[in-house]
Amino acid sequence: MTGVFRYAGQALAYLGFALLLGYFASAPAYTYRPADRAEVKLSFSHGGERKGGCRPLTPAEIAKLPPNMRRSQACPRERVPLVIEMDVGGQLAHREVLPPSGLSGDGPSRAYRRFQLPPGEHRLALRLRDSERRDGFDYESSFTVALRPRQNLVIDFRAEAGGFVIR
Amino acid sequence: MQSIKRPLRLAFAVTERVFDRAFGPAWNPLHNLGALGFFYYWIVAVSGIYLYIGFDTGVERVYASIERLTHAQWYLGGVMRSLHRYASDALVAMALLHLLREFSFDRMRGVRWFSWLTGVPILWLVYASGVSGYWLVWDELAQYIALTTSEWLDALPFFGEPIARNFLAPNSLDDRFFTLLIFMHIAIPLILLFILWVHLQRLSKPRINPPRGLAIGTLAMMLALSLVHPAVSQPPADLAKVPGDVGLDWFYLAAYPLFDHLSYAWVWGLAGVLTVGLAALPWLPPLRRPRAAVVDLEHCNGCGRCVQDCPYAAVAMVPRSDGQPFAQQAVVDAALCVGCGICMAACPPSMPFRRIAELATGIDVPDASLNDLRERTHAAAERLSVSPRVLVFGCDCSVDMAALANESVAGVSLPCIGALPPSFVDYVLSRGLADGVFLTGGSEGACVNRLGIQWTELRMDGERDPRLRDRVPRERMARRWAARHEATSLAGEIAAFRAQLATLPAIRPPAPAQPADIRETVA
Ligand code: HEM
Ligand code: SF4
Ligand code: SF4
């Protein structure tokens, strides 16, 4: 092949590669979430009560402990699992039992859930149990929210703020 | 596995021939994939340093700082950003092609596992570098990457507080996160560079720089693309909204849509299976393992040519142990040797002329020994009955020698054409075993044994030891590097060579052995 044709061939190859790079570096677009949806994220990190509560130690038990570790109560480290429920528009939309984290079950329970809802007004009711009770809930809240398309609404839980909060 | 490899290899061979015509074998990008990868890496590194200088790690200021570079300083910052992006993309394209090509050539079987196995973490690191880079821009694409990647990572049981909670709402993200991210985006590519260095440790003379013409062309293309179609950000991230349509960089993010169709645990499983499967390929059957080269100290003079020529750094020189008056001797590390025989051809005593019953040399490969080669050369010559007679030396990875054979063409196949001592050409012609010698082997720049073709050319052209002797009539020699599928055109060239030989005076075929005729010839 003559020189000119060779360089033309090279130019063609470079052009092809450039087109490939230029196009696929940012296209075609991918639709992560449809435009006519909003998202509600339920996410929090909260530790349930310790299992069994504390119990006073007998004098004999106290005497057996090394002197620098003597205390009057034995408290279990393991926490109870949380129970979370969410209603959307009066219907149960989600129920989950959240075990505590950590190898000995002494860390907080963590929640991270996404829900897609159509935009518009929704009534959300949330309930959380974080104690040893068998039924009923320790925290309950409800919110009326007006969701815009592609809005990201976050429901967090903060015991120190008194329960569920919208962020 | 062969059913994937064979068509893949054919596809590469055919495409490489097309590229050969435009670029020539030396500049052919497909022969320089690894070297191009390094070249792209350096472009990314240099442009990255420039971008880092203008980069602000505050959550509120990240996006604006990149916008400033892109638009206010389009002629420098913008070009650097585009180079950074496009060279990173080219790096992925190159790495994947390189992987496929090495796979199709079986360049990872048996003792050649090392480069392949170290290539697997390279892939992970390349992707991690790219993903962390897009995350830094903090536009809608970055937000999408942040959400999916962090949720995916949280599916592993190692992390305490879920990482995804950093991206819940506008006020959950702090500056520290971007400081961590930029640290990762620098650390991961540095680890990548280190593993790239490890990747080449078992190869001798690895080609890590592309030929100048190819480098200039590639850089010019990247610059032109950066000016014509600069890399830009998507709208700024807003954690109060969910990203909708995001323009993906498919080189890095092609697998991301999977996250919306499979559970995170499945994607982890899939990634794990692919990684382990890829890493295990060198050991999957059928595992043909030629025996390693063996040094015969009686014939080794410690010249070191075998060390110079072995493509896999499998031979080393050590102090002499047998009392012969040489300082050094060769030793083979069997764990690195692929049995290509290139060292045997380099060794000075590898001469067919000597009249001993069993030829021996300093270093030899048991599965294709020097003696064996001489016997096969004689056997092939005896099959030639019609002049001009052509003896073809080829290699096992190129055109099948049997397919070329007829009454005037006979072939001898070697593990690699680099395993042919040049003295064999002299031997065949001076003994009248044939009227011409034709050399062939895998296509140019695509030698399965990396350096076999290169050494053969230099040796035959008298530019590297062992050199073909001056007395050999060059008009009775021809060579053509051909891929496996090119049997027809190779046969055509051999026919043309025969026609050229027909114009030369005939050579007397060997008389029945007359021992007195045979001189002992030593280099
Ligand atoms: C950025 C990515 C990479 C770069 C820059 C790179 C670079 C190189 C270079 C320069 C060579 C030497 C070529 C020669 O002189 O013959 C090489 C060889 C090789 N690479 Fe890579 N590589 C990369 C990724 C990979 C990956 C992902 C794999 C496979 C998983 C891989 C597998 C191999 C193999 C099998 C060889 C040949 C070893 C042999 O001939 O025995 N590489 N690479
Ligand atoms: S090429 Fe042959 S003689 Fe030279 S060091 Fe190697 S084995 Fe010894
Ligand atoms: S046969 Fe010789 S050249 Fe080939 S890998 Fe083994 S030692 Fe190296």
Side-chain angles (χ1 to χ4, degrees):
Chain A
M1 225 186 277
T2 66
V4 181
F5 278 110
R6 280 189 51 153
Y7 283 107
Q10 290 184 24
L12 205 66
Y14 285 125
L15 180 69
F17 194 31
L19 287 176
L20 227 61
L21 289 175
Y23 183 71
F24 286 107
S26 56
Y30 171 69
T31 305
Y32 173 57
R33 295 290 181 257
D36 61 347
R37 288 275 148 171
E39 198 156 276
V40 172
K41 277 201 192 89
L42 175 60
S43 174
F44 56 82
S45 178
H46 172 64
E49 266 181 13
R50 305 271 177 196
K51 247 186 193 165
C54 296
R55 141 187 99 73
L57 291 174
T58 65
E61 282 173 320
I62 296 175
K64 264 204 275 175
L65 292 170
N68 59 335
M69 292 179 68
R70 285 193 184 142
R71 54 211 141 84
S72 57
Q73 286 197 318
C75 296
R77 298 179 54 199
E78 197 183 340
R79 294 178 184 277
V80 298
L82 308 187
V83 178
I84 172 88
E85 286 187 2
M86 181 169 87
D87 294 347
V88 177
Q91 296 259 302
L92 183 68
H94 184 63
R95 180 189 160 87
E96 193 178 3
V97 177
L98 301 164
S101 57
L103 286 180
S104 41
D106 57 345
S109 300
R110 294 178 178 123
Y112 185 93
R113 291 280 165 221
R114 291 189 256 101
F115 306 91
Q116 289 196 31
L117 295 179
E121 211 172 86
H122 295 278
R123 180 133 192 94
L124 307 176
L126 291 124
R127 296 179 289 279
L128 179 78
R129 184 193 305 158
D130 68 349
S131 65
E132 287 196 273
R133 62 199 290 173
R134 304 244 153 214
D135 44 34
F137 291 90
D138 301 292
Y139 297 90
E140 293 192 33
S141 311
S142 60
F143 309 94
T144 301
V145 293
L147 294 176
R148 293 181 308 280
R150 289 186 45 208
Q151 182 178 353
N152 176 40
L153 182 93
V154 177
I155 304 173
D156 204 343
F157 178 87
R158 296 227 183 100
E160 67 281 10
F164 290 97
V165 289
I166 296 246
R167 291 170 62 178
Chain B
M1 205 52 76
Q2 285 306 316
S3 54
I4 312 177
K5 264 179 206 156
R6 245 184 245 124
L8 201 59
R9 194 156 155 187
L10 179 64
F12 269 112
V14 171
T15 325
E16 280 169 31
R17 271 301 137 101
V18 176
F19 277 92
D20 272 348
R21 303 185 78 178
F23 288 86
W27 289 12
N28 190 330
L30 290 170
H31 297 164
N32 287 286
L33 291 169
L36 278 176
F38 269 93
F39 187 61
Y40 297 137
Y41 182 94
W42 298 123
I43 299 182
V44 174
V46 170
S47 54
I49 291 170
Y50 186 83
L51 295 179
Y52 178 67
I53 296 168
F55 186 78
D56 192 326
T57 55
V59 182
E60 306 296 334
R61 298 180 303 267
V62 172
Y63 186 83
S65 72
I66 298 177
E67 284 296 275
R68 208 165 35 246
L69 275 171
T70 309
H71 298 293
Q73 211 198 66
W74 62 268
Y75 50 88
L76 185 58
V79 168
M80 286 295 184
R81 180 184 185 190
S82 303
L83 284 177
H84 198 67
R85 176 181 294 184
Y86 293 133
S88 309
D89 288 338
L91 179 63
V92 173
M94 180 299 306
L96 295 180
L97 278 175
H98 167 64
L99 178 159
L100 285 178
R101 189 165 179 275
E102 301 299 323
F103 167 77
S104 73
F105 274 98
D106 238 3
R107 277 177 155 178
M108 77 316 185
R109 307 293 284 171
V111 297
R112 295 174 77 170
W113 58 273
F114 187 84
S115 296
W116 181 266
L117 194 70
T118 50
V120 176
I122 289 178
L123 275 187
W124 275 95
L125 291 165
V126 167
Y127 280 111
S129 308
V131 167
S132 60
Y134 274 113
W135 198 328
L136 276 176
V137 179
W138 210 230
D139 59 358
E140 278 185 2
L141 173 64
Q143 186 183 347
Y144 162 72
I145 288 175
L147 290 171
T148 39
T149 313
S150 60
E151 289 177 8
W152 188 50
L153 290 173
D154 288 337
L156 290 177
F158 313 141
F159 299 100
E161 197 63 11
I163 307 169
R165 283 182 51 81
N166 283 298
F167 307 101
L168 273 184
N171 52 6
S172 44
L173 189 60
D174 62 26
D175 294 357
R176 276 203 321 262
F177 195 87
F178 278 91
T179 311
L180 175 69
L181 210 54
I182 188 112
F183 170 76
M184 305 270 279
H185 188 57
I186 295 170
I188 298 171
L190 285 177
I191 301 173
L192 170 63
L193 184 61
F194 173 70
I195 310 250
L196 280 174
W197 174 76
V198 175
H199 187 59
L200 304 177
Q201 286 313 297
R202 283 203 173 176
L203 300 177
S204 69
K205 308 178 180 68
R207 211 136 31 94
I208 55 171
N209 291 315
R212 187 170 304 162
L214 183 61
I216 293 173
T218 306
L219 187 61
M221 177 276 278
M222 295 258 162
L223 275 172
L225 177 62
S226 300
L227 288 169
V228 174
H229 187 63
V232 292
S233 302
Q234 299 182 28
D238 176 5
L239 289 173
K241 286 197 321 201
V242 214
D245 288 351
V246 275
L248 292 196
D249 181 323
W250 293 88
F251 293 94
Y252 281 97
L253 304 171
Y256 267 60
L258 275 186
F259 290 130
D260 293 323
H261 300 280
L262 296 175
S263 74
Y264 288 119
W266 266 103
V267 180
W268 273 118
L270 203 64
V273 168
L274 277 178
T275 306
V276 173
L278 204 61
L281 276 182
W283 294 277
L284 292 187
L287 191 58
R288 287 165 283 106
R289 194 171 171 167
R291 283 172 290 168
V294 184
V295 175
D296 180 351
L297 281 187
E298 199 190 320
H299 300 279
C300 167
N301 66 17
C303 67
R305 281 188 197 166
C306 50
V307 179
Q308 293 297 315
D309 284 9
C310 171
Y312 305 101
V315 205
M317 298 310 290
V318 297
R320 200 76 197 187
S321 68
D322 65 349
Q324 282 206 63
F326 305 111
Q328 293 191 302
Q329 68 187 45
V331 284
V332 174
D333 182 345
L336 299 181
C337 172
V338 308
C340 62
I342 291 176
C343 52
M344 183 273 274
C347 190
S350 293
M351 294 270 196
F353 293 99
R354 293 177 305 152
R355 233 182 60 218
I356 24 182
E358 177 87 15
L359 278 181
T361 182
I363 187 165
D364 210 345
V365 279
D367 292 327
S369 68
L370 176 67
N371 195 61
D372 193 40
L373 178 59
R374 185 172 68 172
E375 281 174 11
R376 289 197 296 138
T377 305
H378 278 282
E382 276 163 24
R383 293 197 296 271
L384 295 169
S385 50
V386 177
S387 286
R389 301 156 301 146
V390 174
L391 201 61
V392 185
F393 288 102
C395 80
D396 297 342
C397 18
S398 175
V399 174
D400 184 6
M401 290 294 110
L404 299 170
N406 54 41
E407 64 275 22
S408 49
V409 178
V412 177
S413 190
L414 295 100
C416 175
I417 191 63
L420 179 73
S423 52
F424 268 75
V425 179
D426 188 8
Y427 183 67
V428 169
L429 294 175
S430 64
R431 288 293 154 87
L433 296 179
D435 302 301
V437 174
F438 196 98
L439 304 183
T440 183
S443 52
E444 196 161 358
C447 173
V448 172
N449 286 307
R450 301 187 57 241
L451 305 172
I453 290 178
Q454 197 178 331
W455 293 163
T456 304
E457 296 205 313
L458 294 173
R459 290 165 179 171
M460 298 297 167
D461 294 343
E463 287 163 21
R464 187 181 179 92
D465 282 325
R467 294 154 214 260
L468 181 63
R469 293 181 64 171
D470 289 339
R471 71 169 189 195
V472 177
R474 298 305 199 263
E475 66 282 8
R476 291 187 180 273
M477 281 178 74
R479 63 186 177 225
R480 155 84 199 281
W481 310 123
R484 211 182 179 84
H485 70 282
E486 294 177 305
T488 319
S489 70
L490 186 65
E493 298 214 9
I494 294 173
F497 178 52
R498 283 193 68 227
Q500 178 198 323
L501 290 174
T503 65
L504 301 174
I507 286 191
R508 185 170 50 91
Q514 288 177 338
D517 278 358
I518 305 170
R519 268 182 307 127
E520 184 88 353
T521 316
V522 181

